[in-house]
């Protein structure tokens, strides 16, 4: 048994796990970057109302947006009325090329909660790959759908999913001359939008804690930059400090106990680390240049940052105590906004070259640079919790304002992220579970 936030309980059904997943044949290799979307049949979950169909629709949308799955049109289904209690007629699914099949059921409990159960089948091998059931408040039905999509993603790809996660960003409204910027949070698919600030003060660069549902962000009240910590569950807000020379909002250390930031003094900007318990600061760089945009490695041992110490913005790494500073980017153009992948294997960045703003990745030693997308103005990459997808914001010429987009590491699955208005500065949360 595992307890999830939001009073959500998940129980694995032993009866559904009789066949080991290792025996099933269906897999997707996503490490090579050339995976063809897998045809998958996702039936409407059995229910007394339309909620079962809504849950299966969210599951299908999650998997399709990943670029790795191709949900089959329900009009092609031959067998109907499947429930988790019955075995499929596998030939009815293989004939429509469904390599995997998802069936489920939604039922109300006496205490008012929902019970949602599902099975994942390998149709060609005729074997069950996964089966679980969940109990939750009816208001959490979308989250159950995301958790099931994560379970399917993990069983078939071998990688952790990222659908049960949220994104905090800057929501922008109004004309350019009187633009109102508010902090907002939503599910990774754009649902359940909620505003965190009212818009009286300018807000910039929100960042998620990697260890809890907490964000840090910078706000300009009365023209003075302040850094805040905001607890998302309680709404409690506290000031980290007033930083008149701040050039970029802090990022958390992997354990959530420190933040690293850039402060400007006498025309120079250097990087500092602050202990959130003692509020003690440690200076990490000391140059006559602008060092900014620091980001910790997932083990907390190193930091990547940008600096113009060589004459133009380039990427550098250093140990968490400021030692062993090394330049890692050497391509044409200017590099900025580096972010270390949660897997530790890559650094994402913004690159300005040839009149274009590009989103790319490279290994932490600077090798293997790849540009994933290019445009008029792309900026601010943030990693999905599994390190396989990036979100960023794009301000297209003549569009009137920025919008959020996502792209996977293959560079081929680029999609607009739905928001109610203009949006910028996204930051992806850890998985909620």
């Amino acid at each position: 048994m595992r307890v999830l936030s939001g009073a959500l309980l998940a129980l694995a059904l032993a009866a559904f796990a009789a066949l080991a997943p290792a025996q099933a044949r269906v897999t997707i290799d996503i490490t090579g970057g050339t995976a063809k979307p897998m045809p998958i049949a996702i039936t409407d979950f059995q229910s007394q109302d339309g909620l079962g169909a809504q849950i299966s629709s969210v599951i299908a949308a999650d998997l399709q947006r990943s670029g790795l799955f191709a949900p089959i049109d329900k009009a092609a289904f031959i067998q109907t009325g499947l429930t988790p209690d019955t075995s499929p007629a596998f030939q009815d699914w293989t004939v429509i090329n469904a390599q995997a099949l998802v069936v489920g059921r939604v039922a109300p409990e006496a205490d008012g909660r929902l019970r949602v159960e599902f099975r994942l089948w390998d149709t060609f091998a005729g074997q069950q790959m996964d089966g679980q059931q969940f109990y939750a408040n009816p208001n959490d039905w979308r989250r159950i759908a995301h958790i099931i999509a994560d379970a399917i993603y993990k069983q078939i790809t071998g990688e952790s999913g990222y659908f049960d996660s949220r994104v905090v960003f800057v929501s922008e409204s109004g004309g350019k001359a009187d633009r109102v910027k508010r902090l907002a949070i939503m599910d990774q698919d754009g649902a359940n939008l909620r505003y965190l600030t009212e818009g009286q003060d300018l807000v910039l660069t929100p960042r998620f804690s990697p260890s809890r549902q907490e964000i840090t962000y910078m706000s300009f009240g009365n023209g003075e930059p302040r850094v805040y910590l905001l607890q998302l569950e309680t709404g409690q807000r506290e000031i980290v400090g007033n930083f008149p020379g701040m050039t970029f909002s802090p990022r958390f250390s992997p354990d959530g106990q420190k933040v690293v930031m850039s402060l400007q003094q006498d025309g120079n900007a250097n990087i500092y680390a602050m202990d959130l318990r003692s509020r003690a600061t440690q200076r990490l760089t000391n140059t006559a240049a602008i060092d900014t945009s620091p980001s910790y490695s997932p083990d907390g041992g190193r930091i990547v940052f940008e600096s113009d110490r060589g004459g133009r913005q380039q990427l550098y790494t250093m140990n968490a105590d400021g030692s062993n500073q090394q330049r890692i980017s050497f391509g044409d153009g200017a590099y900025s906004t580096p972010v270390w992948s949660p897997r530790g294997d890559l650094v994402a960045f913004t690159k300005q070259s040839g009149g274009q703003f590009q989103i790319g990745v490279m290994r932490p030693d600077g090798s293997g640079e790849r540009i994933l997308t290019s445009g008029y103005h792309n900026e601010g990459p943030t990693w999905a919790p599994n390190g396989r997808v990036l979100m960023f914001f794009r301000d297209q010429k003549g569009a009137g304002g920025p919008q959020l987009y996502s792209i996977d590491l293959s560079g081929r699955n680029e999609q607009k992220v739905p928001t109610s208005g203009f949006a910028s500065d996204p930051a992806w949360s850890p998985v909620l579970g």
Side-chain angles (χ1 to χ4, degrees), residues 70-110:
I72 296 172
D73 188 340
K74 293 184 177 68
F77 293 178
I78 300 171
Q79 186 180 21
T80 59
L82 269 176
T83 74
D85 302 324
T86 57
S87 293
F90 293 110
Q91 68 276 9
D92 286 350
W93 300 98
T94 57
V95 75
I96 62 172
N97 198 34
Q99 297 183 35
L101 169 66
V102 181
V103 299
R105 176 168 50 212
V106 182
E109 293 288 288

mmCIF file of all heavy atoms in Angstrom, residues 70-110:
data_model
loop_
_atom_site.group_PDB
_atom_site.id
_atom_site.type_symbol
_atom_site.label_atom_id
_atom_site.label_comp_id
_atom_site.label_asym_id
_atom_site.label_seq_id
_atom_site.Cartn_x
_atom_site.Cartn_y
_atom_site.Cartn_z
ATOM 1 N N ALA A 70 0.217 5.546 -30.067
ATOM 2 C CA ALA A 70 -0.803 5.968 -31.024
ATOM 3 C C ALA A 70 -2.117 5.289 -30.652
ATOM 4 O O ALA A 70 -2.381 4.155 -31.073
ATOM 5 C CB ALA A 70 -0.392 5.602 -32.446
ATOM 6 N N PRO A 71 -2.954 5.940 -29.812
ATOM 7 C CA PRO A 71 -4.238 5.333 -29.461
ATOM 8 C C PRO A 71 -5.094 5.064 -30.695
ATOM 9 O O PRO A 71 -5.215 5.909 -31.585
ATOM 10 C CB PRO A 71 -4.881 6.395 -28.560
ATOM 11 C CG PRO A 71 -3.715 7.151 -27.981
ATOM 12 C CD PRO A 71 -2.705 7.194 -29.094
ATOM 13 N N ILE A 72 -5.683 3.882 -30.758
ATOM 14 C CA ILE A 72 -6.482 3.463 -31.909
ATOM 15 C C ILE A 72 -7.900 4.005 -31.776
ATOM 16 O O ILE A 72 -8.469 4.014 -30.675
ATOM 17 C CB ILE A 72 -6.489 1.923 -32.012
ATOM 18 C CG1 ILE A 72 -5.066 1.419 -32.285
ATOM 19 C CG2 ILE A 72 -7.443 1.445 -33.099
ATOM 20 C CD1 ILE A 72 -4.936 -0.085 -32.208
ATOM 21 N N ASP A 73 -8.463 4.452 -32.866
ATOM 22 C CA ASP A 73 -9.836 4.962 -32.890
ATOM 23 C C ASP A 73 -10.789 3.886 -32.368
ATOM 24 O O ASP A 73 -10.768 2.740 -32.826
ATOM 25 C CB ASP A 73 -10.207 5.346 -34.320
ATOM 26 C CG ASP A 73 -11.542 6.077 -34.417
ATOM 27 O OD1 ASP A 73 -12.363 5.965 -33.486
ATOM 28 O OD2 ASP A 73 -11.763 6.747 -35.440
ATOM 29 N N LYS A 74 -11.636 4.258 -31.405
ATOM 30 C CA LYS A 74 -12.559 3.281 -30.804
ATOM 31 C C LYS A 74 -13.537 2.692 -31.829
ATOM 32 O O LYS A 74 -14.084 1.603 -31.628
ATOM 33 C CB LYS A 74 -13.328 3.925 -29.659
ATOM 34 C CG LYS A 74 -12.465 4.295 -28.456
ATOM 35 C CD LYS A 74 -13.333 4.846 -27.335
ATOM 36 C CE LYS A 74 -12.510 5.155 -26.091
ATOM 37 N NZ LYS A 74 -11.583 6.276 -26.283
ATOM 38 N N ALA A 75 -13.766 3.407 -32.939
ATOM 39 C CA ALA A 75 -14.675 2.884 -33.967
ATOM 40 C C ALA A 75 -14.133 1.614 -34.605
ATOM 41 O O ALA A 75 -14.892 0.839 -35.205
ATOM 42 C CB ALA A 75 -14.911 3.947 -35.044
ATOM 43 N N ALA A 76 -12.820 1.381 -34.470
ATOM 44 C CA ALA A 76 -12.215 0.182 -35.047
ATOM 45 C C ALA A 76 -12.314 -1.033 -34.126
ATOM 46 O O ALA A 76 -12.010 -2.157 -34.536
ATOM 47 C CB ALA A 76 -10.745 0.452 -35.386
ATOM 48 N N PHE A 77 -12.734 -0.844 -32.880
ATOM 49 C CA PHE A 77 -12.770 -1.945 -31.928
ATOM 50 C C PHE A 77 -13.801 -2.994 -32.366
ATOM 51 O O PHE A 77 -14.921 -2.653 -32.753
ATOM 52 C CB PHE A 77 -13.126 -1.447 -30.527
ATOM 53 C CG PHE A 77 -12.087 -0.559 -29.891
ATOM 54 C CD1 PHE A 77 -12.311 -0.001 -28.640
ATOM 55 C CD2 PHE A 77 -10.892 -0.273 -30.526
ATOM 56 C CE1 PHE A 77 -11.375 0.809 -28.031
ATOM 57 C CE2 PHE A 77 -9.935 0.547 -29.940
ATOM 58 C CZ PHE A 77 -10.185 1.086 -28.683
ATOM 59 N N ILE A 78 -13.429 -4.249 -32.275
ATOM 60 C CA ILE A 78 -14.327 -5.357 -32.598
ATOM 61 C C ILE A 78 -15.004 -5.876 -31.342
ATOM 62 O O ILE A 78 -16.222 -5.986 -31.268
ATOM 63 C CB ILE A 78 -13.559 -6.496 -33.305
ATOM 64 C CG1 ILE A 78 -12.942 -5.971 -34.619
ATOM 65 C CG2 ILE A 78 -14.473 -7.695 -33.553
ATOM 66 C CD1 ILE A 78 -11.988 -6.951 -35.269
ATOM 67 N N GLN A 79 -14.206 -6.187 -30.338
ATOM 68 C CA GLN A 79 -14.762 -6.658 -29.076
ATOM 69 C C GLN A 79 -15.176 -5.460 -28.219
ATOM 70 O O GLN A 79 -14.435 -4.494 -28.086
ATOM 71 C CB GLN A 79 -13.745 -7.503 -28.315
ATOM 72 C CG GLN A 79 -14.308 -8.150 -27.054
ATOM 73 C CD GLN A 79 -13.273 -8.975 -26.314
ATOM 74 O OE1 GLN A 79 -12.071 -8.778 -26.485
ATOM 75 N NE2 GLN A 79 -13.737 -9.894 -25.475
ATOM 76 N N THR A 80 -16.335 -5.505 -27.640
ATOM 77 C CA THR A 80 -16.829 -4.432 -26.786
ATOM 78 C C THR A 80 -17.264 -4.996 -25.442
ATOM 79 O O THR A 80 -17.387 -6.211 -25.277
ATOM 80 C CB THR A 80 -18.022 -3.700 -27.442
ATOM 81 O OG1 THR A 80 -19.071 -4.646 -27.679
ATOM 82 C CG2 THR A 80 -17.604 -3.057 -28.762
ATOM 83 N N GLY A 81 -17.482 -4.099 -24.487
ATOM 84 C CA GLY A 81 -17.981 -4.512 -23.184
ATOM 85 C C GLY A 81 -16.960 -5.192 -22.301
ATOM 86 O O GLY A 81 -17.324 -5.878 -21.341
ATOM 87 N N LEU A 82 -15.665 -5.003 -22.582
ATOM 88 C CA LEU A 82 -14.625 -5.625 -21.765
ATOM 89 C C LEU A 82 -14.591 -5.023 -20.368
ATOM 90 O O LEU A 82 -14.775 -3.821 -20.189
ATOM 91 C CB LEU A 82 -13.261 -5.446 -22.418
ATOM 92 C CG LEU A 82 -12.785 -6.538 -23.374
ATOM 93 C CD1 LEU A 82 -11.459 -6.138 -24.001
ATOM 94 C CD2 LEU A 82 -12.652 -7.872 -22.654
ATOM 95 N N THR A 83 -14.337 -5.853 -19.374
ATOM 96 C CA THR A 83 -14.143 -5.398 -17.996
ATOM 97 C C THR A 83 -12.844 -6.005 -17.469
ATOM 98 O O THR A 83 -12.290 -6.936 -18.071
ATOM 99 C CB THR A 83 -15.308 -5.840 -17.096
ATOM 100 O OG1 THR A 83 -15.190 -7.247 -16.839
ATOM 101 C CG2 THR A 83 -16.651 -5.528 -17.737
ATOM 102 N N PRO A 84 -12.363 -5.519 -16.329
ATOM 103 C CA PRO A 84 -11.153 -6.114 -15.748
ATOM 104 C C PRO A 84 -11.327 -7.561 -15.313
ATOM 105 O O PRO A 84 -10.343 -8.243 -15.009
ATOM 106 C CB PRO A 84 -10.861 -5.210 -14.539
ATOM 107 C CG PRO A 84 -11.520 -3.917 -14.851
ATOM 108 C CD PRO A 84 -12.757 -4.290 -15.603
ATOM 109 N N ASP A 85 -12.555 -8.051 -15.268
ATOM 110 C CA ASP A 85 -12.811 -9.418 -14.803
ATOM 111 C C ASP A 85 -12.709 -10.460 -15.909
ATOM 112 O O ASP A 85 -12.712 -11.656 -15.631
ATOM 113 C CB ASP A 85 -14.211 -9.508 -14.182
ATOM 114 C CG ASP A 85 -14.386 -8.537 -13.035
ATOM 115 O OD1 ASP A 85 -13.417 -8.327 -12.290
ATOM 116 O OD2 ASP A 85 -15.495 -7.964 -12.904
ATOM 117 N N THR A 86 -12.653 -10.017 -17.163
ATOM 118 C CA THR A 86 -12.679 -10.963 -18.282
ATOM 119 C C THR A 86 -11.405 -10.870 -19.100
ATOM 120 O O THR A 86 -10.785 -9.805 -19.203
ATOM 121 C CB THR A 86 -13.880 -10.674 -19.199
ATOM 122 O OG1 THR A 86 -13.804 -9.319 -19.662
ATOM 123 C CG2 THR A 86 -15.187 -10.872 -18.458
ATOM 124 N N SER A 87 -11.023 -11.987 -19.700
ATOM 125 C CA SER A 87 -9.861 -11.993 -20.594
ATOM 126 C C SER A 87 -10.294 -11.548 -21.990
ATOM 127 O O SER A 87 -11.374 -11.932 -22.465
ATOM 128 C CB SER A 87 -9.258 -13.394 -20.679
ATOM 129 O OG SER A 87 -8.706 -13.764 -19.444
ATOM 130 N N PRO A 88 -9.470 -10.760 -22.655
ATOM 131 C CA PRO A 88 -9.831 -10.299 -24.000
ATOM 132 C C PRO A 88 -9.807 -11.436 -25.019
ATOM 133 O O PRO A 88 -9.132 -12.450 -24.835
ATOM 134 C CB PRO A 88 -8.740 -9.260 -24.323
ATOM 135 C CG PRO A 88 -8.082 -8.945 -23.022
ATOM 136 C CD PRO A 88 -8.199 -10.173 -22.191
ATOM 137 N N ALA A 89 -10.548 -11.240 -26.100
ATOM 138 C CA ALA A 89 -10.404 -12.085 -27.283
ATOM 139 C C ALA A 89 -9.251 -11.491 -28.080
ATOM 140 O O ALA A 89 -9.429 -10.582 -28.891
ATOM 141 C CB ALA A 89 -11.703 -12.079 -28.099
ATOM 142 N N PHE A 90 -8.059 -12.005 -27.830
ATOM 143 C CA PHE A 90 -6.853 -11.324 -28.319
ATOM 144 C C PHE A 90 -6.827 -11.169 -29.832
ATOM 145 O O PHE A 90 -6.293 -10.189 -30.361
ATOM 146 C CB PHE A 90 -5.601 -12.059 -27.816
ATOM 147 C CG PHE A 90 -5.418 -11.975 -26.335
ATOM 148 C CD1 PHE A 90 -5.591 -13.103 -25.538
ATOM 149 C CD2 PHE A 90 -5.095 -10.778 -25.734
ATOM 150 C CE1 PHE A 90 -5.427 -13.026 -24.164
ATOM 151 C CE2 PHE A 90 -4.925 -10.691 -24.356
ATOM 152 C CZ PHE A 90 -5.096 -11.824 -23.564
ATOM 153 N N GLN A 91 -7.417 -12.140 -30.573
ATOM 154 C CA GLN A 91 -7.397 -12.032 -32.028
ATOM 155 C C GLN A 91 -8.194 -10.818 -32.509
ATOM 156 O O GLN A 91 -7.909 -10.260 -33.580
ATOM 157 C CB GLN A 91 -7.940 -13.318 -32.676
ATOM 158 C CG GLN A 91 -9.430 -13.570 -32.458
ATOM 159 C CD GLN A 91 -9.726 -14.255 -31.125
ATOM 160 O OE1 GLN A 91 -8.843 -14.393 -30.281
ATOM 161 N NE2 GLN A 91 -10.970 -14.678 -30.939
ATOM 162 N N ASP A 92 -9.208 -10.376 -31.738
ATOM 163 C CA ASP A 92 -9.981 -9.197 -32.114
ATOM 164 C C ASP A 92 -9.161 -7.912 -31.984
ATOM 165 O O ASP A 92 -9.516 -6.885 -32.577
ATOM 166 C CB ASP A 92 -11.233 -9.069 -31.232
ATOM 167 C CG ASP A 92 -12.300 -10.093 -31.596
ATOM 168 O OD1 ASP A 92 -12.142 -10.765 -32.630
ATOM 169 O OD2 ASP A 92 -13.280 -10.224 -30.832
ATOM 170 N N TRP A 93 -8.085 -7.983 -31.219
ATOM 171 C CA TRP A 93 -7.255 -6.793 -31.011
ATOM 172 C C TRP A 93 -6.011 -6.812 -31.888
ATOM 173 O O TRP A 93 -5.579 -5.776 -32.391
ATOM 174 C CB TRP A 93 -6.889 -6.666 -29.530
ATOM 175 C CG TRP A 93 -8.129 -6.539 -28.691
ATOM 176 C CD1 TRP A 93 -8.775 -7.511 -27.991
ATOM 177 C CD2 TRP A 93 -8.938 -5.355 -28.544
ATOM 178 N NE1 TRP A 93 -9.908 -7.019 -27.396
ATOM 179 C CE2 TRP A 93 -10.036 -5.699 -27.711
ATOM 180 C CE3 TRP A 93 -8.827 -4.053 -29.022
ATOM 181 C CZ2 TRP A 93 -11.012 -4.772 -27.363
ATOM 182 C CZ3 TRP A 93 -9.801 -3.123 -28.665
ATOM 183 C CH2 TRP A 93 -10.883 -3.489 -27.855
ATOM 184 N N THR A 94 -5.450 -8.015 -32.093
ATOM 185 C CA THR A 94 -4.280 -8.082 -32.977
ATOM 186 C C THR A 94 -4.649 -7.791 -34.419
ATOM 187 O O THR A 94 -3.837 -7.258 -35.182
ATOM 188 C CB THR A 94 -3.609 -9.458 -32.881
ATOM 189 O OG1 THR A 94 -4.563 -10.481 -33.199
ATOM 190 C CG2 THR A 94 -3.046 -9.701 -31.490
ATOM 191 N N VAL A 95 -5.881 -8.098 -34.817
ATOM 192 C CA VAL A 95 -6.284 -7.869 -36.202
ATOM 193 C C VAL A 95 -6.364 -6.372 -36.511
ATOM 194 O O VAL A 95 -6.224 -5.965 -37.663
ATOM 195 C CB VAL A 95 -7.632 -8.567 -36.506
ATOM 196 C CG1 VAL A 95 -8.795 -7.810 -35.874
ATOM 197 C CG2 VAL A 95 -7.839 -8.700 -38.010
ATOM 198 N N ILE A 96 -6.568 -5.543 -35.490
ATOM 199 C CA ILE A 96 -6.543 -4.089 -35.713
ATOM 200 C C ILE A 96 -5.193 -3.499 -35.290
ATOM 201 O O ILE A 96 -5.051 -2.279 -35.142
ATOM 202 C CB ILE A 96 -7.701 -3.381 -34.979
ATOM 203 C CG1 ILE A 96 -7.587 -3.568 -33.461
ATOM 204 C CG2 ILE A 96 -9.051 -3.879 -35.480
ATOM 205 C CD1 ILE A 96 -8.599 -2.712 -32.666
ATOM 206 N N ASN A 97 -4.205 -4.394 -35.094
ATOM 207 C CA ASN A 97 -2.822 -4.017 -34.796
ATOM 208 C C ASN A 97 -2.653 -3.324 -33.450
ATOM 209 O O ASN A 97 -1.737 -2.523 -33.263
ATOM 210 C CB ASN A 97 -2.237 -3.130 -35.900
ATOM 211 C CG ASN A 97 -0.715 -3.083 -35.856
ATOM 212 O OD1 ASN A 97 -0.077 -4.079 -35.499
ATOM 213 N ND2 ASN A 97 -0.126 -1.938 -36.186
ATOM 214 N N ALA A 98 -3.527 -3.632 -32.511
ATOM 215 C CA ALA A 98 -3.366 -3.106 -31.154
ATOM 216 C C ALA A 98 -2.318 -3.957 -30.436
ATOM 217 O O ALA A 98 -2.584 -5.104 -30.083
ATOM 218 C CB ALA A 98 -4.686 -3.144 -30.411
ATOM 219 N N GLN A 99 -1.141 -3.389 -30.225
ATOM 220 C CA GLN A 99 -0.072 -4.145 -29.575
ATOM 221 C C GLN A 99 -0.257 -4.218 -28.068
ATOM 222 O O GLN A 99 0.284 -5.097 -27.405
ATOM 223 C CB GLN A 99 1.278 -3.535 -29.934
ATOM 224 C CG GLN A 99 1.584 -3.604 -31.423
ATOM 225 C CD GLN A 99 2.950 -3.062 -31.747
ATOM 226 O OE1 GLN A 99 3.897 -3.212 -30.980
ATOM 227 N NE2 GLN A 99 3.077 -2.410 -32.898
ATOM 228 N N ALA A 100 -1.003 -3.259 -27.525
ATOM 229 C CA ALA A 100 -1.323 -3.278 -26.098
ATOM 230 C C ALA A 100 -2.780 -2.870 -25.946
ATOM 231 O O ALA A 100 -3.341 -2.169 -26.790
ATOM 232 C CB ALA A 100 -0.414 -2.333 -25.325
ATOM 233 N N LEU A 101 -3.388 -3.315 -24.864
ATOM 234 C CA LEU A 101 -4.806 -3.077 -24.618
ATOM 235 C C LEU A 101 -4.991 -2.670 -23.162
ATOM 236 O O LEU A 101 -4.426 -3.287 -22.249
ATOM 237 C CB LEU A 101 -5.605 -4.354 -24.905
ATOM 238 C CG LEU A 101 -7.070 -4.384 -24.460
ATOM 239 C CD1 LEU A 101 -7.898 -3.366 -25.234
ATOM 240 C CD2 LEU A 101 -7.636 -5.798 -24.635
ATOM 241 N N VAL A 102 -5.803 -1.636 -22.949
ATOM 242 C CA VAL A 102 -6.101 -1.154 -21.603
ATOM 243 C C VAL A 102 -7.605 -1.252 -21.380
ATOM 244 O O VAL A 102 -8.400 -0.753 -22.188
ATOM 245 C CB VAL A 102 -5.646 0.306 -21.411
ATOM 246 C CG1 VAL A 102 -5.953 0.775 -19.982
ATOM 247 C CG2 VAL A 102 -4.163 0.458 -21.713
ATOM 248 N N VAL A 103 -8.001 -1.914 -20.297
ATOM 249 C CA VAL A 103 -9.417 -1.984 -19.906
ATOM 250 C C VAL A 103 -9.517 -1.574 -18.443
ATOM 251 O O VAL A 103 -8.552 -1.689 -17.681
ATOM 252 C CB VAL A 103 -10.004 -3.396 -20.109
ATOM 253 C CG1 VAL A 103 -9.939 -3.800 -21.567
ATOM 254 C CG2 VAL A 103 -9.267 -4.414 -19.246
ATOM 255 N N GLY A 104 -10.707 -1.103 -18.035
ATOM 256 C CA GLY A 104 -10.843 -0.663 -16.655
ATOM 257 C C GLY A 104 -12.274 -0.503 -16.224
ATOM 258 O O GLY A 104 -13.220 -0.699 -17.000
ATOM 259 N N ARG A 105 -12.420 -0.112 -14.955
ATOM 260 C CA ARG A 105 -13.754 0.041 -14.385
ATOM 261 C C ARG A 105 -13.690 1.117 -13.302
ATOM 262 O O ARG A 105 -12.699 1.243 -12.584
ATOM 263 C CB ARG A 105 -14.235 -1.277 -13.791
ATOM 264 C CG ARG A 105 -15.594 -1.188 -13.079
ATOM 265 C CD ARG A 105 -16.147 -2.564 -12.782
ATOM 266 N NE ARG A 105 -15.160 -3.410 -12.110
ATOM 267 C CZ ARG A 105 -15.088 -4.735 -12.274
ATOM 268 N NH1 ARG A 105 -15.917 -5.352 -13.086
ATOM 269 N NH2 ARG A 105 -14.176 -5.432 -11.627
ATOM 270 N N VAL A 106 -14.785 1.881 -13.199
ATOM 271 C CA VAL A 106 -14.933 2.904 -12.165
ATOM 272 C C VAL A 106 -16.207 2.594 -11.390
ATOM 273 O O VAL A 106 -17.266 2.370 -11.990
ATOM 274 C CB VAL A 106 -15.034 4.317 -12.782
ATOM 275 C CG1 VAL A 106 -15.134 5.368 -11.686
ATOM 276 C CG2 VAL A 106 -13.838 4.593 -13.681
ATOM 277 N N ALA A 107 -16.111 2.571 -10.056
ATOM 278 C CA ALA A 107 -17.286 2.259 -9.243
ATOM 279 C C ALA A 107 -17.255 3.078 -7.959
ATOM 280 O O ALA A 107 -16.182 3.292 -7.375
ATOM 281 C CB ALA A 107 -17.333 0.769 -8.909
ATOM 282 N N PRO A 108 -18.409 3.541 -7.491
ATOM 283 C CA PRO A 108 -18.457 4.286 -6.228
ATOM 284 C C PRO A 108 -18.385 3.341 -5.033
ATOM 285 O O PRO A 108 -18.927 2.231 -5.063
ATOM 286 C CB PRO A 108 -19.813 4.995 -6.291
ATOM 287 C CG PRO A 108 -20.655 4.102 -7.156
ATOM 288 C CD PRO A 108 -19.728 3.478 -8.157
ATOM 289 N N GLU A 109 -17.721 3.772 -3.987
ATOM 290 C CA GLU A 109 -17.659 3.033 -2.735
ATOM 291 C C GLU A 109 -18.714 3.574 -1.765
ATOM 292 O O GLU A 109 -19.214 4.690 -1.918
ATOM 293 C CB GLU A 109 -16.259 3.144 -2.116
ATOM 294 C CG GLU A 109 -15.174 2.455 -2.914
ATOM 295 C CD GLU A 109 -15.268 0.945 -2.818
ATOM 296 O OE1 GLU A 109 -14.960 0.382 -1.755
ATOM 297 O OE2 GLU A 109 -15.666 0.328 -3.830
ATOM 298 N N ALA A 110 -19.002 2.810 -0.738
ATOM 299 C CA ALA A 110 -20.006 3.213 0.245
ATOM 300 C C ALA A 110 -19.599 4.480 1.000
ATOM 301 O O ALA A 110 -20.455 5.240 1.461
ATOM 302 C CB ALA A 110 -20.258 2.072 1.235
#
